[in-house]
Amino acid sequence: MTPQAALVELLARVGASQDAAVLLSHQELNQWPEAAVAALKTQRLLVKAQPATSAICPGCERDCVMPVQTRIHPSRGAVSFIDCDKRSDVSRVDVPVDRLEQWRCTADAVCSFVAASLGLRQSDKRRLASADFLEIGMATGDKRNQMLCLQTGGELMLMAGGNTVPLADVVAYRDGAYSLDSARVGQLVDAAT
């Protein structure tokens, strides 16, 4: 997986989440390129979320998803475990803390990233009348200014006026960071009616 593919995957999940936060586990992020994960965290597309309250039980081969309990042990600190009720030969199964770590991304975080990348003053009014659009900020092309919005129903799209372009098509990874192609966004703004 390339850093560009990692971002495309994240944007696809945010688009499919229907305004819910997308959660990614520590284990999954370990399979992504380190440079991509570092950039996503630095640019606040990924922020640390609360630890998971359920996990795949490592106690046997069944891979059951079970609720996790955490207790404070006097000498070991926080201890997380699963009480297995599926097998008689397994009861309490310890769960390493790093298996519960998770990161989240939201459509609002994507809007903030777009605004920061383009140097826009982010709009105070977030949600348009339609629940499928989030205002990002006023974008400037060579001919006009338009409100730039993020269309969230399905694939994430940048929208100015009545024109749209897939967000994944205007984002690139260079020199350890993600950025938007401001020339393409300017063309989108100028083409808007």
Side-chain angles (χ1 to χ4, degrees):
M1 178 183 273
T2 64
Q4 184 71 25
L7 181 66
V8 169
E9 171 72 20
L10 182 62
L11 294 177
R13 289 187 190 186
V14 171
S17 72
Q18 299 181 356
D19 292 333
V22 172
L23 296 173
L24 296 124
S25 69
H26 178 71
Q27 292 87 350
E28 182 174 6
L29 289 180
N30 280 340
Q31 296 172 6
W32 288 19
E34 279 184 45
V37 173
L40 291 169
K41 289 177 181 178
T42 300
Q43 294 180 279
R44 310 240 349 120
L45 281 164
L46 287 178
V47 294
K48 195 157 190 142
Q50 293 291 324
T53 56
S54 62
I56 295 173
C57 180
C60 70
E61 67 283 346
R62 288 186 181 182
D63 290 337
C64 304
V65 176
M66 302 286 288
V68 175
Q69 299 180 41
T70 302
R71 303 284 186 260
I72 304 300
H73 190 274
S75 62
R76 297 188 319 182
V79 176
S80 297
F81 60 91
I82 292 173
D83 277 329
C84 180
D85 59 357
K86 308 290 185 213
R87 291 179 46 168
S88 60
D89 61 331
V90 178
S91 59
R92 181 175 283 188
V93 179
D94 288 335
V95 178
V97 175
D98 68 336
R99 289 192 66 170
L100 302 177
E101 184 179 297
Q102 55 187 2
W103 297 80
R104 69 182 174 90
C105 182
T106 62
D108 284 332
V110 174
C111 287
S112 296
F113 162 73
V114 170
S117 295
L118 297 173
L120 304 179
R121 184 173 152 259
Q122 199 162 355
S123 174
D124 295 333
K125 181 180 166 189
R126 301 297 296 154
R127 183 87 40 200
L128 292 177
S130 165
D132 288 342
F133 298 97
L134 294 172
E135 285 188 357
I136 298 172
M138 289 298 290
T140 304
D142 291 333
K143 300 176 192 173
R144 62 179 56 107
N145 297 335
Q146 287 281 343
M147 178 57 70
L148 190 64
C149 299
L150 182 70
Q151 182 179 343
T152 59
E155 181 180 11
L156 294 182
M157 306 284 276
L158 285 181
M159 184 176 102
N163 298 328
T164 60
V165 63
L167 178 58
D169 289 356
V170 296
V171 178
Y173 179 82
R174 285 184 210 94
D175 302 324
Y178 292 100
S179 61
L180 266 74
D181 184 344
S182 57
R184 288 215 36 215
V185 174
Q187 291 169 354
L188 175 70
V189 169
D190 285 338
T193 56

